[in-house]
Amino acid sequence: MQQTSVISASDENYKEAVSAATELLRAGEVVALPTETVYGLAGNVFDPNAVAKIFAAKERPSFDPLIVHVSSRTELERVAVIPDEIQATVEKLLNAFWPGPLTLILPKHPDVPDLVTSGLNTVAVRQSASKIFRAIGKELGQPLAAPSANRFGRISPTSATAVHKELDGRIPLIIDGGACAEGLESTIIHIAVGEKRPTITILRPGPVTKEMLQNFGKIERPKRPRDGSDVTQPAVAPGMLPSHYAPRTPLILLENAADFRPDRSKKYGLLSYTGEPGKGYTQLYPWAVVEALSPGNGKLPEAALRLFHLLRKLDDAGLDFIVAEPVSEVGLGVAVMDRLRRAASPA
Ligand code: AMP
Ligand code: MG
C-alpha cells in the first residue's frame, strides 16, 4: 500500500498540480488525471515500467490495450503512422473533433512499447480537451498512456472521489479537476478506404456520435465481436468485452416493463431516465430508491454525464438489484445504452 495524495487543480493550485504530476510522471510513476470524458490513469507511454504500473494498479489484463493521449498534433507522429490513403480523412476528423472525445485507431509507431497496444500493430490515440491534462502532457513532453482510472471491469470514474474509491493505496497521486464534462468514455473509431467514401467503423460509441461522424465517411458498426487480435480489419475493440463498466450490484436493463418479475423479498432501485411520475417505470414498482439520469424533461447529454455517477450511487445504496430504464438509441443514447448493456451482462 502506498499513500495516495489528492491535489486540486483549482486556479490558485494549478501550477502546483501541474508540477507535482509532471515530477511523478518523469520519475516513471502513474498519476490519475481528469479528462473531459472520465478520469484517466496516466503514465509516460515510452516508459514500459510506467505502463506496467498502469496495468497493475487497474488489475487490467495485458490483452486490453491502452489509449494514448497526445498534447499536440506533432506528438501524434511520435506514436502513430498515418497511411497516405486515409490521411485526408484523418485530417478532417482531427480538425473537427480534436481536442475532444474521439479516439482513432491508427497503425502504431515502432517506438510505442508492445505492452501499450497489447501486441497489436495499431494504437488508439486521442487528444483530450482537458486543459490540465494537456498542460501536464506538454510539461512532460511525452505522450501519456491513460486508460480510465478504475479497476478492470468496473465503472469509469467521473470524479476524483470515485478515483479515490477505486485506486486508493495503489497510486501516488490524483489530480482533482472536478467533475468530468462528458461523463462517458471517448468514441473509438477505425478508418478504412471504402469504395466511394472512406468507411468509419465505430468500435465504441461515445460522445462523438454516429450523426456527427457521418459527414466524414460511411458509418459501420463492428459486425460481430472478435478477440480484437486484428483491428486493422474492423473488428471489435478489446475493451468492448461484453461485461464492462459493471456495478457490483446486479443490474437489470429492463427493455420491456412486462418482463419484470420482482422477488418481493429483495430490494430494487430504479435508474430512471427522467424520474417523472407517470413516465418510464417510476410507478411500475415500489422502488427502494429512484435516481434520475436527467430529471424533468430528459436530455441525453445530461443523462450521459450523470450515468456513471448514478451507477456508483445506486451501487452503494445497499440494493439487491438495480433496474435501468432504456433510453432511445439516437445520438448520445447509443453510447448510454451501450454502457447499460455492458453493465447488465453477467460477469
Ligand atoms: P479505456 O481507456 O479504459 O476506456 O480503454 C481503452 C480501450 O481502447 C480499450 O479497452 C480498447 O477497447 C480500446 N483500444 C485501445 N487500443 C486499441 C487498438 N489498438 N485497437 C482497438 N481498440 C483499442
Ligand atoms: Mg476503461
Side-chain angles (χ1 to χ4, degrees), residues 31-194:
V31 178
L33 302 177
T35 83
E36 75 279 35
T37 58
V38 302
Y39 273 71
L41 182 59
N44 177 356
V45 79
F46 296 125
D47 178 345
N49 287 325
V51 176
K53 284 182 188 169
I54 297 177
F55 280 94
K58 282 182 59 90
E59 295 173 31
R60 182 170 178 125
S62 59
F63 59 75
D64 194 6
L66 309 179
I67 291 179
V68 176
H69 293 248
V70 293
S71 57
S72 66
R73 295 267 191 103
T74 43
E75 230 176 49
L76 174 60
E77 282 151 39
R78 296 178 60 201
V79 296
V81 183
I82 306 171
D84 289 344
E85 53 293 3
I86 60 165
Q87 172 92 40
T89 311
V90 169
E91 277 293 316
K92 284 184 204 156
L93 287 164
L94 300 192
N95 287 338
F97 301 109
W98 275 22
L102 183 70
T103 298
L104 271 56
I105 305 295
L106 293 167
K108 143 186 171 351
H109 191 289
D111 288 354
V112 175
D114 284 334
L115 186 55
V116 173
T117 61
S118 304
L120 296 171
N121 53 12
T122 53
V123 62
V125 197
R126 86 170 183 105
Q127 183 185 33
S128 172
S130 159
K131 187 173 152 224
I132 181 84
F133 190 103
R134 278 195 291 153
I136 291 165
K138 236 181 207 143
E139 181 74 18
L140 181 72
Q142 305 289 358
L144 291 167
S148 52
N150 52 281
R151 274 173 285 151
F152 183 67
R154 299 262 302 128
I155 306 167
S156 298
T158 53
S159 67
T161 320
V163 178
H164 200 261
K165 276 200 182 143
E166 288 288 320
L167 299 176
D168 184 29
R170 293 164 176 245
I171 60 171
L173 178 64
I174 301 169
I175 299 295
D176 184 354
C180 300
E182 301 279 357
L184 278 187
E185 301 87 349
S186 61
T187 304
I188 303 181
I189 62 167
H190 176 272
I191 305 153
V193 185

Side-chain angles (χ1 to χ4, degrees), residues 219-242:
I219 308 298
E220 290 188 358
R221 283 296 301 270
K223 286 180 189 69
R224 65 194 152 84
R226 294 225 223 123
D227 64 0
S229 54
D230 185 5
V231 289
T232 54
Q233 301 302 313
V236 89
M240 304 200 50
L241 300 167

